[in-house]
Amino acid sequence: MSRAFQMPRPFVSLICAGRLRLWLAGAAIALGTFTARGDWQLVWSDEFNGVSIDTNHWKFEIGNHHGWGNHEWEYYTDRPENVCVSNGVLHIVARSKPADGIFYTSARLKSQGLFAQKYGRFEFRAKFPGGQGYWPALWLMPEHSAYGRWPASGEIDVMENRGNDPAVVQGTIHYAGADGRPLQSTGRHTFPRNDGATNFHVYLLEWTTNTINWQVDGRRYETQTNWSTAGAAYPAPFNQPFYIIMNLAVGGDYGGNPDAHTVFPGEMQVDYIRVYDNVATNSVR
């Protein structure tokens, strides 16, 4: 049986420790081991089955960069205490530990320059920490800013969560109005009682030429078909290749800052990422 149809592995509590060894050989599994889902064919994945971050797949963002435009409090590092692979899971750990004058450290990984795709299915199995001030996100940004600076070239948020409200996750597209001002369209998913983002769930974005929809555990909760960007015709800006970002922010405009009740360290775990292309339509792109 392929891993696409295995039962979820049990929860493993692990905080990154030891020395992280970056490797260049690549740990992607052979694509042929997966079964295509209808017209969808797996074209890229990371199962995190190795012992270190695959640098053929990921680059690290380092620093705080004036709060990343959102007044965030964390300093991103590539330290093993903040990011590692163990037991088939990627661990991104936010810690209350000063770095370069910033009170918190965490990690942010991106596939920019290594992998980007226009259209397809982007699937993540992941869980996130609970607590005021945590801001985990799985999202996509344009490989090339074909229509200008943010938000004119777009942003697609597959999943983000306010740590103080684990019962709700949201998916969003960011784009520009005719006058260039930022616009966004957002959908929200509320988990059943006694469940939430602190448990493992499968987050899926399905993106075609004129439709973007979001699912949690196979259930669609939002569809967007209408957007814009200044100076370009629909379906711009979402007609260009986008790359993947995963990060665990601390503080900022989205969910507010940590308080006395926030427990550190907090951990984001990603079991796998799988990207599918539509083999029935890719020949006409």
Side-chain angles (χ1 to χ4, degrees), residues 151-152 174-183 227-230 237:
H174 298 266
Y175 49 97
D179 57 0
R181 64 188 177 91
L183 298 175
W227 54 77
S228 65
T229 202

Side-chain angles (χ1 to χ4, degrees), residues 41 67 76 99 107 114-115 133 145 155 170 198-199 213 216 225 232 240 261 263 272 279-280 282 284:
Q41 177 67 51
Y76 289 126
L114 301 172
F115 173 77
S145 296
E155 173 185 329
Q170 71 179 53
T198 54
N199 297 322
N213 71 66
V216 175
T225 59
Q240 301 289 321
H261 302 289
V263 176
Y272 63 74
V279 296
N282 61 10
V284 298

Side-chain angles (χ1 to χ4, degrees), residues 104-262:
Y104 303 94
T105 59
S106 187
R108 173 165 158 161
L109 283 69
K110 64 180 182 179
S111 68
Q112 185 178 22
L114 301 172
F115 173 77
Q117 178 163 298
K118 179 176 71 172
Y119 311 135
R121 291 167 64 104
F122 295 75
E123 179 179 329
F124 303 77
R125 183 172 185 265
K127 67 188 296 277
F128 309 102
Q132 173 63 37
Y134 285 125
W135 180 4
L138 308 168
W139 48 305
L140 311 177
M141 287 290 286
E143 183 74 10
H144 307 288
S145 296
Y147 304 107
R149 298 178 60 182
W150 189 94
S153 291
E155 173 185 329
I156 304 174
D157 299 329
V158 180
M159 193 292 316
E160 59 186 340
N161 167 251
R162 295 178 175 88
N164 65 351
D165 189 10
V168 177
V169 296
Q170 71 179 53
T172 303
I173 51 174
H174 298 266
Y175 49 97
D179 57 0
R181 64 188 177 91
L183 298 175
Q184 68 179 51
S185 300
T186 298
R188 292 175 174 81
H189 171 79
T190 301
F191 290 100
R193 181 187 291 268
N194 299 322
D195 197 3
T198 54
N199 297 322
F200 272 113
H201 293 280
V202 175
Y203 300 94
L204 177 69
L205 179 94
E206 188 174 288
W207 169 25
T208 64
T209 53
N210 57 9
T211 302
I212 303 174
N213 71 66
W214 291 258
Q215 300 177 24
V216 175
D217 297 332
R219 298 179 179 179
R220 184 180 301 185
Y221 70 90
E222 179 66 18
T223 298
Q224 296 290 341
T225 59
N226 185 32
W227 54 77
S228 65
T229 202
Y234 180 86
F238 303 114
N239 59 352
Q240 301 289 321
F242 278 56
Y243 65 90
I244 300 168
I245 306 175
M246 303 179 291
N247 68 289
L248 176 55
V250 179
D253 299 334
Y254 179 66
N257 299 324
D259 60 24
H261 302 289
T262 307

Side-chain angles (χ1 to χ4, degrees), residues 6-24:
Q6 289 179 353
M7 292 297 291
R9 62 170 58 90
F11 166 70
V12 177
S13 178
L14 180 146
I15 299 296
C16 294
R19 183 174 182 80
L20 179 64
R21 295 183 293 110
L22 300 180
W23 54 295
L24 298 173

